[in-house]
Short mmCIF file of all heavy atoms in Angstrom, two decimals:
data_model
loop_
_atom_site.label_atom_id
_atom_site.label_comp_id
_atom_site.label_asym_id
_atom_site.label_seq_id
_atom_site.Cartn_x
_atom_site.Cartn_y
_atom_site.Cartn_z
N SER A 7 0.40 41.87 -64.65
CA SER A 7 1.04 40.95 -63.72
C SER A 7 0.85 39.52 -64.21
O SER A 7 -0.02 39.23 -65.02
CB SER A 7 0.47 41.10 -62.31
OG SER A 7 -0.90 40.72 -62.31
N SER A 8 1.72 38.66 -63.70
CA SER A 8 1.68 37.25 -64.07
C SER A 8 2.01 36.42 -62.85
O SER A 8 2.85 36.80 -62.04
CB SER A 8 2.70 36.98 -65.19
OG SER A 8 2.78 35.61 -65.47
N ARG A 9 1.36 35.26 -62.72
CA ARG A 9 1.66 34.34 -61.62
C ARG A 9 2.58 33.26 -62.14
O ARG A 9 2.17 32.15 -62.37
CB ARG A 9 0.37 33.72 -61.09
CG ARG A 9 -0.58 34.73 -60.54
CD ARG A 9 -1.78 34.06 -60.01
NE ARG A 9 -1.68 34.10 -58.56
CZ ARG A 9 -2.50 33.49 -57.74
NH1 ARG A 9 -3.46 32.75 -58.22
NH2 ARG A 9 -2.36 33.62 -56.46
N GLY A 10 3.84 33.60 -62.38
CA GLY A 10 4.80 32.67 -62.93
C GLY A 10 5.07 32.98 -64.38
O GLY A 10 4.67 34.00 -64.90
N ARG A 13 2.13 32.06 -67.21
CA ARG A 13 0.93 31.75 -66.41
C ARG A 13 -0.17 32.73 -66.79
O ARG A 13 0.00 33.58 -67.63
CB ARG A 13 1.22 31.89 -64.92
CG ARG A 13 2.16 30.86 -64.37
CD ARG A 13 1.45 29.54 -64.23
NE ARG A 13 2.21 28.76 -63.28
CZ ARG A 13 2.05 27.48 -63.10
NH1 ARG A 13 1.17 26.84 -63.81
NH2 ARG A 13 2.75 26.83 -62.24
N LYS A 14 -1.29 32.61 -66.09
CA LYS A 14 -2.39 33.54 -66.32
C LYS A 14 -1.95 34.96 -66.01
O LYS A 14 -1.27 35.20 -65.02
CB LYS A 14 -3.59 33.18 -65.45
CG LYS A 14 -4.23 31.87 -65.83
CD LYS A 14 -5.43 31.58 -64.94
CE LYS A 14 -6.04 30.26 -65.34
NZ LYS A 14 -7.20 29.93 -64.49
N THR A 15 -2.30 35.89 -66.89
CA THR A 15 -1.92 37.28 -66.72
C THR A 15 -3.16 38.15 -66.55
O THR A 15 -4.25 37.80 -66.99
CB THR A 15 -1.11 37.80 -67.93
OG1 THR A 15 -1.91 37.68 -69.10
CG2 THR A 15 0.18 37.05 -68.09
N GLY A 16 -2.96 39.28 -65.93
CA GLY A 16 -4.02 40.26 -65.77
C GLY A 16 -3.47 41.65 -65.99
O GLY A 16 -2.27 41.90 -65.83
N ILE A 17 -4.34 42.56 -66.39
CA ILE A 17 -3.93 43.94 -66.63
C ILE A 17 -4.92 44.87 -65.96
O ILE A 17 -6.03 44.48 -65.61
CB ILE A 17 -3.85 44.28 -68.12
CG1 ILE A 17 -5.22 44.18 -68.78
CG2 ILE A 17 -2.83 43.42 -68.83
CD1 ILE A 17 -5.30 44.80 -70.16
N GLY A 34 -8.66 43.36 -66.50
CA GLY A 34 -9.11 42.12 -67.12
C GLY A 34 -8.05 41.06 -67.15
O GLY A 34 -6.87 41.31 -66.92
N SER A 35 -8.47 39.88 -67.46
CA SER A 35 -7.60 38.74 -67.65
C SER A 35 -7.17 38.71 -69.11
O SER A 35 -7.98 38.95 -70.00
CB SER A 35 -8.34 37.46 -67.28
OG SER A 35 -7.56 36.33 -67.58
N MET A 36 -5.92 38.40 -69.36
CA MET A 36 -5.42 38.41 -70.74
C MET A 36 -4.88 37.04 -71.18
O MET A 36 -4.08 36.95 -72.08
CB MET A 36 -4.33 39.47 -70.89
CG MET A 36 -4.80 40.87 -70.57
SD MET A 36 -6.22 41.43 -71.52
CE MET A 36 -5.51 41.61 -73.13
N GLY A 37 -5.28 35.98 -70.52
CA GLY A 37 -4.80 34.66 -70.91
C GLY A 37 -3.44 34.36 -70.32
O GLY A 37 -3.07 34.89 -69.28
N GLU A 38 -2.67 33.52 -70.99
CA GLU A 38 -1.34 33.15 -70.47
C GLU A 38 -0.25 34.00 -71.08
O GLU A 38 -0.33 34.40 -72.23
CB GLU A 38 -1.08 31.67 -70.73
CG GLU A 38 -1.94 30.78 -69.87
CD GLU A 38 -1.38 29.37 -69.75
OE1 GLU A 38 -0.33 29.07 -70.34
OE2 GLU A 38 -2.01 28.59 -69.04
N GLY A 39 0.78 34.25 -70.29
CA GLY A 39 1.92 35.03 -70.74
C GLY A 39 2.85 35.29 -69.57
O GLY A 39 2.80 34.60 -68.55
N ASP A 40 3.69 36.31 -69.71
CA ASP A 40 4.59 36.69 -68.63
C ASP A 40 4.34 38.15 -68.26
O ASP A 40 3.53 38.83 -68.89
CB ASP A 40 6.06 36.44 -69.00
CG ASP A 40 6.50 37.22 -70.24
OD1 ASP A 40 5.86 38.22 -70.59
OD2 ASP A 40 7.49 36.81 -70.86
N ALA A 41 5.03 38.63 -67.25
CA ALA A 41 4.77 39.98 -66.73
C ALA A 41 5.09 41.06 -67.77
O ALA A 41 4.37 42.05 -67.87
CB ALA A 41 5.57 40.21 -65.45
N ASN A 43 4.91 40.82 -71.07
CA ASN A 43 3.85 40.78 -72.06
C ASN A 43 2.57 41.42 -71.49
O ASN A 43 1.88 42.17 -72.18
CB ASN A 43 3.58 39.34 -72.50
CG ASN A 43 2.64 39.26 -73.67
OD1 ASN A 43 2.71 40.06 -74.59
ND2 ASN A 43 1.75 38.29 -73.64
N ALA A 44 2.28 41.14 -70.24
CA ALA A 44 1.09 41.73 -69.60
C ALA A 44 1.21 43.25 -69.54
O ALA A 44 0.23 43.96 -69.77
CB ALA A 44 0.90 41.14 -68.20
N LEU A 47 0.45 44.60 -72.95
CA LEU A 47 -0.98 44.49 -73.22
C LEU A 47 -1.77 45.58 -72.49
O LEU A 47 -2.75 46.10 -73.02
CB LEU A 47 -1.50 43.10 -72.83
CG LEU A 47 -1.06 41.96 -73.74
CD1 LEU A 47 -1.45 40.62 -73.11
CD2 LEU A 47 -1.66 42.10 -75.12
#
Side-chain angles (χ1 to χ4, degrees):
S7 65
S8 174
R9 299 182 106 187
R13 292 285 200 194
K14 293 181 180 179
T15 60
I17 63 167
S35 174
M36 301 304 290
E38 290 200 359
D40 60 21
N43 189 39
L47 288 171

